Amino acid sequence: KAGVTQTPRYLIKTRGQQVTLSCSPISGHRSVSWYQQTPGQGLQFLFEYFSETQRNKGNFPGRFSGRQFSNSRSEMNVSTLELGDSALYLCASSPRMTASSTEAFFGQGTRLTVV
Amino acid sequence: DQQVKQNSPSLSVQEGRISILNCDYTNSMFDYFLWYKKYPAEGPTFLISISSIKDKNEDGRFTVFLNKSAKHLSLHIVPSQPGDSAVYFCAARPSGNTPLVFGKGTRLSVIA
């Protein structure tokens, strides 16, 4: 069974630009969560989708948005990039509504660098 | 407001000895706790978990202890191996359909 796939793996963007990251969950999983990992803050929850609906949202500004498609694939978008957005963005998939159990599987992440 | 705290950013242990990673939490409504392990350039992988109704869970070399009165949990790795060198994240689940809350992680280095 293929794991969680995140694309691209690495990305360099300039301040002010926007970026879209993609996550393909494990086949059959309908929940996708996004996390931001930075050295000083650990993993911080961004948002979670289940069956194309946003179920939970973390404490991030409106520049961060996401969506989920009917095939459960998810994208997150960050507009007007700031230097502080440089981080590893992780996606986790789960068969259940909330990826808050041992059934949450993480992708390898997308390393975003904003210059 | 950091609800899950891992106060030690790093820990070095000799191969064969015990590694003890600590985690404190503030929310008494957490009902489930998990430890994840993360290697560089990889996503976190689930390691071991414990329900709030238990005080100990063991899986091979890994044991997690929960002290609810102190709002403290710890992960013991015995014996430590060089392959255990990674960042360990403590996570907690609030009750209901809410996402995991993670600590900032502890980098474990096991020295041969």
Side-chain angles (χ1 to χ4, degrees):
Chain A
K1 196 181 225 184
V4 179
T5 304
Q6 291 189 246
T7 56
R9 289 291 311 277
Y10 302 94
L11 205 48
I12 299 176
K13 289 285 189 179
T14 305
R15 264 186 309 175
Q17 286 187 310
Q18 68 117 22
V19 67
T20 299
L21 312 181
S22 179
C23 172
S24 293
I26 291 171
S27 178
H29 286 195
R30 295 164 64 191
S31 170
V32 172
S33 301
W34 288 90
Y35 290 84
Q36 181 195 65
Q37 186 195 358
T38 56
Q41 297 299 320
L43 271 74
Q44 292 190 289
F45 172 74
L46 281 155
F47 25 65
E48 176 172 44
Y49 290 88
F50 183 84
S51 294
E52 302 178 68
T53 301
Q54 188 178 87
R55 295 290 178 173
N56 288 291
K57 188 176 190 306
N59 189 24
F60 277 81
R63 300 185 296 108
F64 291 80
S65 63
R67 58 178 175 169
Q68 187 179 32
F69 302 95
S70 58
N71 62 358
S72 294
R73 190 178 70 85
S74 177
E75 288 181 348
M76 67 163 281
N77 184 278
V78 188
S79 62
T80 320
L81 283 166
E82 300 177 0
L83 296 179
D85 297 333
S86 295
L88 180 68
Y89 290 87
L90 291 160
C91 166
S93 84
S94 170
R96 301 196 188 281
M97 183 178 292
T98 303
S100 60
S101 72
T102 60
E103 296 166 315
F105 298 89
F106 283 86
Q108 291 180 293
T110 294
R111 171 74 62 187
L112 171 66
T113 302
V114 182
V115 297
Chain B
D1 179 27
Q2 195 77 20
Q3 297 187 67
V4 177
K5 299 178 185 178
Q6 293 178 257
N7 292 320
S8 299
S10 62
L11 175 68
S12 288
V13 172
Q14 275 198 310
E15 181 180 5
R17 306 293 289 266
I18 184 172
S19 295
I20 301 176
L21 295 92
N22 294 303
C23 179
D24 296 296
Y25 61 95
T26 58
N27 188 343
S28 57
M29 297 302 291
F30 288 145
D31 66 353
Y32 202 72
F33 302 88
L34 304 90
W35 285 94
Y36 282 82
K37 177 179 176 179
K38 185 181 182 302
Y39 293 116
E42 292 184 15
T45 55
F46 167 74
L47 189 58
I48 191 169
S49 63
I50 188 167
S51 165
S52 60
I53 63 173
K54 295 187 173 182
D55 54 19
K56 177 182 174 182
N57 188 26
E58 194 171 353
D59 183 2
R61 296 186 298 115
F62 303 91
T63 303
V64 56
F65 295 93
L66 175 62
N67 182 334
K68 281 182 291 185
S69 60
K71 293 192 178 67
H72 176 85
L73 67 155
S74 61
L75 173 68
H76 292 212
I77 307 173
V78 182
S80 302
Q81 298 173 353
D84 297 329
S85 298
V87 177
Y88 289 78
F89 290 98
C90 172
R93 185 182 69 187
S95 55
N97 285 326
T98 49
L100 290 170
V101 179
F102 284 85
K104 293 185 180 183
T106 296
R107 181 177 301 279
L108 173 65
S109 299
V110 179
I111 304 161

